[in-house]
Amino acid sequence: MPDSAAPKTSRIQQRNRKRILDAALDVFSQHGYRGATLDQIARQAGLSKPNILYYFNGKEDIHVTLLNQLMDAWLAPLRDIDPAGDPLAEILRYVHRKLDMSREYPRESRLFANEILQGAPRMAPHLESDLRPLVDTTAAVIDRWIAAGKLAPVDPRHLIFSIWATTQHYADFDAQVRVLMDDAPVHADAAAFLETVYRRLLTPRPPAPGA
Amino acid sequence: MPDSAAPKTSRIQQRNRKRILDAALDVFSQHGYRGATLDQIARQAGLSKPNILYYFNGKEDIHVTLLNQLMDAWLAPLRDIDPAGDPLAEILRYVHRKLDMSREYPRESRLFANEILQGAPRMAPHLESDLRPLVDTTAAVIDRWIAAGKLAPVDPRHLIFSIWATTQHYADFDAQVRVLMDDAPVHADAAAFLETVYRRLLTPRPPAPGA
DNA sequence: CCGCTTTTTTACCATTTGGTAAAGTTACGA
DNA sequence: TCGTAACTTTACCAAATGGTAAAAAAGCGG
């Protein structure tokens, strides 16, 4: 019976693992992997350090668990682009979802940013195995939309990069944005701005008549 | 004679300070402030740790020196936007210069990215005193251009953010870009893409005839 | 209520890290 | 070439950090 064994995770185990991961998300996203300490995570989680090491095999284990767990949620909006939908609407919806995630999950955004900034030492395999195929198929979808004249021609991969960059900027560089935008409705304005950017960029225009 | 004293910095002092700062740029940009160690910097610089502390007052001193020193170079392209020039050309030139800097000075880009990501603890004063006024005046220039009908209307601050985000992305998220763009001419393609983006976004179009 | 498993705490430890003291070495002007 | 100031090295620390051992304390099915 290697399969249907008893429920491996007790109530208390589930609660504490969740607490630890939430605290770790706070600390890792703020200080990066090497800057975060188990003591900080323990304090934030309201547990002792050895107790944390009862639930996880070490600092790296916590970090990797977080990364794996978040990867899916992070890529969901890209996965949800519907090849059968209206091209411009699909892209704009994607932009807005990514921007919303920047606002609602800034810790997750910064965790990834930190990891990529340092060369993705603990995430490279996932980029290759999860992200890359997803980007490949999405780029192919966009290329088909362009070929069908439904979108103005652009490089689909750089388009995706620009969407990531512009939306995540509001989470990752929040400290800077905040200095430059004292109490303006940043998120709403950003949404309007990005809507304009991608609408003007992608709206197909009829070929100039002539020749 | 508090002013025209003897040359404070000997040849050897200049050389070693430069070595240390260059090594520190390597290490800080790769691991972030807390992740960097004096031993790493020392090894990279080819000096002993105490010798490094002969030239700088401590780890933080090195970091702050780097940040201050780079701030100017980093903001130069923004400062060079000419209010009397052709609006679209000025913006596009700015975009290309920023993109070039991403390629030629990725360490500097990552150093700043790390600092901002962690809340700009050692740079907040500079953001307030240097960056903010510069962005304010640049935004005013762009607003005037828009009012004069030389650019399509957009929020100038979010425009600046988007330029920063899209150009620095290629340095800061290089690890990700590299996974997704195996041996394509990333920089050239990015330049063409961004040219298209900002040209389509900012080219003023005559108001639709009607009413 | 008992006995066994799961969870938590207490008390440590080895290594790393930023930093210092002080002795030694080198450069260089008089 | 000699003396002094600039520079470098050797030998250390104290604190912080990731991690462990083992005892104590809860939980919990019977």
Side-chain angles (χ1 to χ4, degrees), chain B residues 78-94:
Chain B
L78 190 56
R79 216 170 253 127
D80 289 352
I81 288 181
D82 179 8
D86 175 67
L88 185 57
E90 287 297 318
I91 303 266
L92 289 177
R93 191 166 59 88
Y94 178 60

Side-chain angles (χ1 to χ4, degrees), chain A residues 132 158 170 182 200-201, chain B residues 132 158 170 182 200-201:
Chain A
R132 203 186 146 146
H158 289 278
Y170 292 97
D182 35 24
R200 287 188 192 158
L201 173 66
Chain B
R132 201 186 148 147
H158 289 279
Y170 292 99
D182 36 23
R200 287 188 192 159
L201 174 65

Side-chain angles (χ1 to χ4, degrees), chain B residues 6-25:
Chain B
K8 277 190 194 72
T9 57
S10 71
R11 229 158 312 132
I12 185 165
Q13 195 159 144
Q14 240 173 320
R15 178 175 56 86
N16 280 351
R17 280 184 70 95
K18 201 165 292 184
R19 271 193 197 179
I20 293 168
L21 288 175
D22 189 68
L25 180 55

